[in-house]
């Protein structure tokens, strides 16, 4: 099927009765989907999406279902805009989807830095707002709901499959196995999660988050999943600020959310490896192997930094007071920061493939 912008604009008028398109331009198309920004007679802009593969069509349908679950009452609880589906219609073997188009600029992970004061805090608060939504938003729509044990089992399955490839360095397997086996990490309360947060899903304007896209994986699950992408940044202070803003906005004592976020982020590289294995794509397998090698080198440079929580010795009151006094004066956090940096921008690059 032709992906000419005006062809998509004509299809859009069959999807939405009364839609008056006065102009159309290409808007972020790629190998998986054609996208067109359509100027409407009322001055608004709609986004027209035509999936070009079976997987892209499935994602678009899941996105449509998730956006339907985000009712006006639910959206009013979010401090940013969310797209709305105006309609959809068959288009050959695919469908054309007509949505409202978010304003602002797609965020890059590098934008979460001291150069954009307040953006890290806004990102953390935006993610927290999702996690604070009632879980009924998901359950009432029949969307996936994963308990803590299910999240853990899913990661264990990824671990087992990755280990079976023989391509994951032993130090990483040992690191992941320890974290997956530590019950303390998995004592968290599931929350509504976006499910596939990457930096480009955020729309930013004036140094704050104004919109959020890509809701196809909306579900109830591990809040740490939504925070994992931040750990690809080398801007340690801004990452800290985002995590702190998230924790302050939620007010929930999930002490190990950062460790789980790191595990999610690292296992994303394992998923990239498995994607290459499943497709029989040697280029992807080689790329993932290089990323795993880089990750284990970073872990080796900081052997004292572990994903699992540290086991502290029992102290009496005087010992606790002395410990807190020393901790307040100790600002040498480079080891933790290096670990929290994750694997730099490699995960973000892999997500864009």
């Amino acid at each position: 099927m032709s992906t000419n912008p005006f062809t998509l604009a004509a299809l859009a008028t069959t999807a939405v009765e009364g839609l008056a398109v006065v102009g159309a331009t290409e808007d972020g198309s790629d190998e998986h989907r054609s996208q067109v920004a359509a100027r409407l007679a009322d001055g608004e802009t709609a986004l027209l999406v035509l999936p070009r593969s079976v997987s892209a069509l499935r994602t678009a349908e899941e996105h449509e279902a998730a956006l339907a679950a985000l009712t006006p009452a639910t959206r009013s609880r979010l401090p940013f805009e969310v797209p709305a589906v105006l309609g959809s219609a068959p288009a050959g073997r695919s469908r054309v989807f007509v949505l409202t188009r978010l304003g602002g600029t797609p965020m890059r992970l590098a934008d979460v830095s001291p150069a954009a004061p307040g953006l890290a805090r806004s990102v953390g608060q935006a993610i927290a707002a999702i996690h604070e939504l009632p879980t009924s938003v998901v359950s009432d729509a029949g969307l996936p709901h994963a308990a803590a044990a299910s999240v853990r089992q899913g990661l264990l399955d990824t671990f087992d499959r990755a280990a079976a490839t023989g391509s994951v360095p032993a130090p990483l397997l040992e690191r992941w196995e320890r974290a997956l086996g530590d019950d303390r990490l998995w004592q968290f309360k599931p929350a509504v999660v976006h499910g596939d947060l990457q930096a480009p899903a955020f729309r930013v304007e004036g140094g704050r988050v104004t919109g959020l896209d890509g809701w196809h994986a909306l579900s109830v699950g591990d809040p740490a999943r939504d925070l994992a992408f931040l750990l690809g940044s080398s801007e340690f202070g801004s990452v800290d600020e985002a995590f702190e803003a998230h924790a302050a906005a939620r007010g929930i004592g999930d002490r190990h959310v950062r460790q789980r976020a790191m595990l999610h982020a690292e296992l994303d590289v394992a998923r990239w490896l498995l994607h290459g294995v499943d497709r029989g794509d040697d280029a992807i397998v080689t790329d993932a192997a290089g990323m795993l090698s880089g990750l284990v080198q970073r872990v080796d440079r900081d052997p004292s930094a572990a994903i699992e929580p540290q086991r502290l010795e029992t102290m009496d009151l005087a010992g606790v007071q002395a410990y807190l006094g020393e901790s307040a004066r100790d600002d040498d956090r480079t080891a933790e920061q290096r670990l929290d940096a994750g694997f730099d921008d490699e995960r973000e690059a892999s997500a864009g493939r």
Side-chain angles (χ1 to χ4, degrees):
M1 173 170 289
S2 171
T3 56
N4 182 291
F6 297 103
T7 301
L8 283 188
L11 286 171
T13 61
T14 69
V16 182
E17 184 178 356
L19 190 73
V21 179
V22 297
T25 57
E26 192 278 332
D27 187 37
S29 299
D30 58 29
E31 62 181 311
H32 302 294
R33 61 191 59 80
S34 296
Q35 292 192 168
V36 166
R39 289 186 291 110
L40 308 181
D42 62 4
E44 298 296 323
T45 302
L47 182 66
L48 317 181
V49 181
L50 178 67
R52 301 177 63 182
S53 67
V54 172
S55 61
L57 175 58
R58 181 171 59 250
T59 297
E61 290 172 339
E62 291 169 346
H63 190 224
E64 182 180 37
L67 293 179
L70 297 175
T71 63
T74 299
R75 291 164 186 253
S76 69
R77 304 172 70 124
L78 298 172
F80 49 77
E81 286 188 287
V82 174
V85 178
L86 301 178
S88 65
R93 296 182 180 179
S94 186
R95 292 184 68 82
V96 61
F97 297 84
V98 184
L99 306 96
T100 57
R101 185 176 183 272
L102 295 176
T105 304
M107 188 179 78
R108 301 169 304 164
L109 185 56
D111 294 334
V112 185
S113 72
L119 181 56
R121 182 171 62 256
S122 182
V123 167
Q125 291 170 342
I127 298 173
I130 301 170
H131 298 167
E132 286 296 289
L133 291 175
T135 56
S136 59
V137 168
V138 167
S139 57
D140 289 351
L143 298 174
H145 189 300
S150 297
V151 172
R152 186 183 194 179
Q153 186 58 54
L155 295 177
L156 278 166
D157 292 344
T158 298
F159 169 84
D160 289 340
R161 291 184 60 214
T165 67
S167 298
V168 181
L172 288 182
L173 292 177
E174 294 170 2
R175 172 182 173 83
W176 296 342
E177 186 173 30
R178 287 196 302 270
L180 288 165
D182 194 320
D183 291 340
R184 292 170 296 172
L185 263 68
W186 309 102
Q187 296 172 3
F188 68 88
K189 182 178 180 180
V192 174
V193 296
H194 178 282
D196 191 27
L197 268 185
Q198 300 295 332
F202 292 85
R203 299 295 186 273
V204 298
E205 191 172 356
R208 66 182 184 88
V209 175
T210 58
L212 193 55
D213 206 350
W215 293 86
H216 57 272
L218 180 66
S219 60
V220 170
D222 184 359
R225 170 75 270 184
D226 284 348
L227 293 158
F229 81 96
L230 287 165
L231 298 177
S233 172
S234 60
E235 296 288 353
F236 311 130
S238 295
V239 172
D240 288 345
E241 185 179 1
F243 271 86
E244 289 163 3
H246 174 268
R250 294 208 69 200
I252 292 178
D254 186 352
R255 293 183 300 166
H256 307 310
V257 66
R258 193 157 183 155
Q259 287 96 331
R260 294 197 316 278
M262 192 175 305
L263 182 60
H264 280 291
E266 294 182 7
L267 284 174
D268 275 347
V269 185
R271 293 187 185 94
W272 181 237
L273 169 69
L274 292 171
H275 176 66
V277 171
D278 292 343
R279 290 185 54 178
D281 190 323
D282 291 339
I284 293 178
V285 171
T286 299
D287 181 56
M291 294 169 68
L292 290 167
S293 177
L295 178 55
V296 77
Q297 289 175 20
R298 290 178 176 85
V299 172
D300 284 344
R301 287 200 298 269
D302 191 8
S304 65
I307 294 178
E308 68 270 19
Q310 297 297 312
R311 300 181 184 276
L312 301 177
E313 296 181 1
T314 301
M315 293 181 286
D316 58 19
L317 179 58
V320 170
Q321 291 173 332
Y323 172 76
L324 291 177
E326 290 299 318
S327 296
R329 292 189 293 272
D330 183 9
D331 61 357
D332 182 11
R333 303 175 63 231
T334 57
E336 178 187 350
Q337 290 172 337
R338 286 198 299 272
L339 181 60
D340 288 340
F343 38 87
D344 301 328
D345 289 327
E346 290 170 340
R347 178 176 177 269
E348 184 178 20
S350 71
R353 291 185 171 92

